[in-house]
Amino acid sequence: MAKIKKEDYLELRVKGSTRKEAAKKLGTSKQSLETYWFGKWGIKNDASEEVEIARYKELRTEKKQEVPGTQPTTEIKAETTTPSAPIEPEKPAPAQQQIEAIPTLPVQLTQEQADALRLVLQIKQPDEIVLHHSSTFIVTRERWRDELDPLNVLSMDEMIRALYFGFEAVKTPEELLIQEFENAEARFGAHSGVAFRTGLQIATDILGHKVVGINA
């Protein structure tokens, strides 16, 4: 059996090939991939494959942004007088040391999404969550229910990056407006606070936005 490299398979998948198409280009069959090579590469299921593809895509992006080190040249001129000690060219630092690693920014979620994800992480492993989330879009098209409902709006890419690279909760514009509305008196005093609140209500009405707690 011809040896197939895991990186070659992942490269084809990143470029948009289906599993069957990738198998054909690598000179094997989809069945051989799933029954032999996936086990050899440690790919356990569809969710595990999605994680491997996401990791490979991230690594591929980082490699493209690396700048290879240049080798300096030192010219030594011959002298007719007493020869001096040989000059050794300075060795360049490895490219990996010259370039700082590009940090991966956490995924920004709403407070409800962040709370739901923290809740489900208490009972499921990341690969199990990815598998379930992929099923909601691809296989059964079921939804996260009850307090986990906010997760339904996350794409597969957002879910994978949130689980493996981190996430943080950010306030929505409506939440920020409510926060300013509620803290108006503490910031500006009783009289000015009333004027500030009235201004927010007028502004939201003009813009056609209804925000519960302000003008709705």
Side-chain angles (χ1 to χ4, degrees), residues 54-162:
R55 287 176 177 170
Y56 180 79
K57 186 185 297 184
E58 187 76 18
L59 180 62
R60 188 167 173 259
T61 302
E62 291 177 358
K63 285 184 177 179
K64 283 184 178 180
Q65 297 183 11
E66 289 184 356
V67 180
T70 56
Q71 182 74 25
T73 57
T74 304
E75 181 181 353
I76 304 175
K77 297 182 179 180
E79 298 181 1
T80 56
T81 57
T82 305
S84 59
I87 302 175
E88 295 184 1
E90 294 182 0
K91 295 181 179 180
Q96 292 83 352
Q97 296 178 6
Q98 294 179 353
I99 304 174
E100 295 183 0
I102 300 174
T104 302
L105 298 177
V107 179
Q108 293 189 339
L109 306 178
T110 66
Q111 187 63 56
E112 291 182 344
Q113 291 168 343
D115 291 342
L117 192 53
R118 291 190 186 99
L119 182 62
V120 76
L121 276 169
Q122 296 177 8
I123 56 176
K124 288 181 179 291
Q125 295 297 317
D127 60 334
E128 295 176 317
I129 298 173
V130 171
L131 179 59
H132 182 87
H133 198 62
S134 66
S135 297
T136 67
F137 288 98
I138 303 170
V139 185
T140 63
R141 298 189 181 277
E142 295 179 353
R143 295 175 57 84
W144 296 95
R145 299 186 182 280
D146 301 324
E147 64 267 34
L148 303 181
D149 182 74
L151 299 178
N152 289 307
V153 299
L154 295 182
S155 67
M156 281 300 304
D157 181 66
E158 289 172 328
M159 177 62 82
I160 291 172
R161 288 190 294 111

Side-chain angles (χ1 to χ4, degrees), residues 171-188:
K171 292 184 181 295
T172 64
E174 289 78 9
E175 290 172 334
L176 292 173
L177 282 173
I178 292 173
Q179 178 178 298
E180 292 297 324
F181 191 81
E182 293 176 345
N183 296 334
E185 290 187 10
R187 289 181 59 188
F188 305 111

Side-chain angles (χ1 to χ4, degrees), residues 5-56:
K5 293 183 179 180
K6 178 181 178 181
E7 292 77 11
D8 293 339
Y9 172 72
L10 294 175
E11 179 70 21
L12 290 172
R13 296 287 278 133
V14 167
K15 289 181 177 180
S17 295
T18 64
R19 190 180 293 178
K20 185 177 181 180
E21 291 170 344
K24 185 176 181 180
K25 291 177 181 179
L26 294 172
T28 186
S29 65
K30 180 173 176 287
Q31 183 178 2
S32 295
L33 271 176
E34 296 172 342
T35 58
Y36 177 77
W37 291 108
F38 277 15
K40 190 175 181 66
W41 296 335
I43 298 177
K44 301 176 183 178
N45 47 43
D46 291 348
S48 180
E49 182 187 18
E50 290 285 350
V51 171
E52 290 288 347
I53 292 172
R55 287 176 177 170
Y56 180 79

